Amino acid sequence: QVQLVESGGGLVQAGGSLRLSCAASGRTFSTYAMGWFRQAPGKEREFVAVIARSGGSTGYSDSVKGRFTISRDNAKNTVYLQMNSLKPEDTAVYYCAAARGYYVPSTSSQYGYWGQGTQVTVSS
């Protein structure tokens, strides 16, 4: 079991930056691949980024590639999402999630644990 708590969301102008954090409980954080997803009003939840258990591999959706960076600190049980050059279309609730048994999963069904989400709003 792992519990996830996101933080760092807020309101930012287009072109600005935010860093999201996701703190995990438990002593098995390093055994989970970690991902970030987002859901905008009226839209389905979509994959944003993933990082492998060791942090050695990452993956991104085309819409954020080159602007967002996922990282993790296994000693602190925390995964981060650095978001730069933010656009109004990045506005959404952002969720972190944990997956076991996959290398760099990119579909929500592969994740067994989810945080409560943090709101990111980008104004134009």
Side-chain angles (χ1 to χ4, degrees):
Q1 288 271 349
V2 61
Q3 292 183 319
L4 305 171
V5 179
E6 302 97 334
S7 61
L11 173 65
V12 64
Q13 288 188 332
S17 298
L18 280 175
R19 188 174 85 152
L20 305 183
S21 299
C22 174
S25 65
R27 295 176 290 178
T28 60
F29 178 71
S30 62
T31 67
Y32 292 88
M34 298 298 297
W36 286 95
F37 289 75
R38 66 187 182 186
Q39 187 166 19
K43 295 187 176 182
E44 293 186 355
R45 188 172 299 187
E46 66 171 353
F47 167 76
V48 175
V50 61
I51 188 165
R53 292 174 295 176
S54 67
S57 292
T58 58
Y60 299 91
S61 67
D62 288 342
S63 61
V64 307
K65 197 174 296 182
R67 300 187 298 122
F68 291 11
T69 302
I70 189 171
S71 61
R72 68 189 294 163
D73 186 336
N74 285 347
K76 295 182 178 180
N77 281 13
T78 303
V79 62
Y80 305 96
L81 186 68
Q82 177 67 43
M83 305 186 295
N84 298 329
S85 302
L86 282 160
K87 305 175 181 180
E89 51 263 44
D90 294 318
T91 295
V93 177
Y94 283 71
Y95 299 90
C96 75
R100 187 172 255 177
Y102 299 94
Y103 187 49
V104 280
S106 60
T107 58
S108 58
S109 62
Q110 294 173 302
Y111 288 81
Y113 303 96
W114 294 83
Q116 83 289 350
T118 185
Q119 177 71 47
V120 171
T121 303
V122 184
S123 63
S124 57

